[in-house]
Amino acid sequence: MSPSSDATTTTATTPSKHETAVVLPANLHARPAGQLARAAARFTSAIQLEYAARTVNPTGVLAVMSLGATAGSTVNVRAEGHDAEQAVTALARILATAE
């Protein structure tokens, strides 16, 4: 009797990476920073905001505000993970509509 091998293959899905740049219509103050933090916390992907050679995790309101991004400046949104595309889209929408 030969030993049988029960070969099961699992296909791991590779986390995706997404990035976009958003020109701010208004300064990045407390209200949009709070919206960004709440939105970022809903995703499992690793998310980053970058402005003026500084990078922060957007799940913290103070971290977002510490960027000091002003109206007319460009903020890059990056995410890596299984819901990266949705995360970048959601955060970019908040940035693009900041008042």
Side-chain angles (χ1 to χ4, degrees):
M1 194 151 126
S2 66
S4 67
S5 63
D6 195 11
T8 58
T9 56
T10 57
T11 54
T13 56
T14 308
S16 60
K17 295 179 184 180
H18 290 276
E19 180 174 354
T20 191
V22 179
V23 176
L24 298 178
N27 294 344
L28 195 50
H29 55 85
R31 187 174 37 244
Q35 292 171 333
L36 285 167
R38 285 189 299 279
R42 294 191 320 248
F43 297 99
T44 59
S45 293
I47 307 169
Q48 297 179 329
L49 294 182
E50 183 182 84
Y51 169 73
R54 294 198 58 221
T55 303
V56 299
N57 178 333
T59 58
V61 174
L62 293 178
V64 173
M65 290 178 59
S66 74
L67 286 174
T70 57
S73 61
T74 300
V75 174
N76 290 313
V77 182
R78 290 191 189 103
E80 181 175 354
H82 296 290
D83 56 0
E85 184 176 5
Q86 295 88 349
V88 167
T89 300
L91 271 62
R93 187 176 320 123
I94 293 168
L95 287 169
T97 59
E99 297 179 344

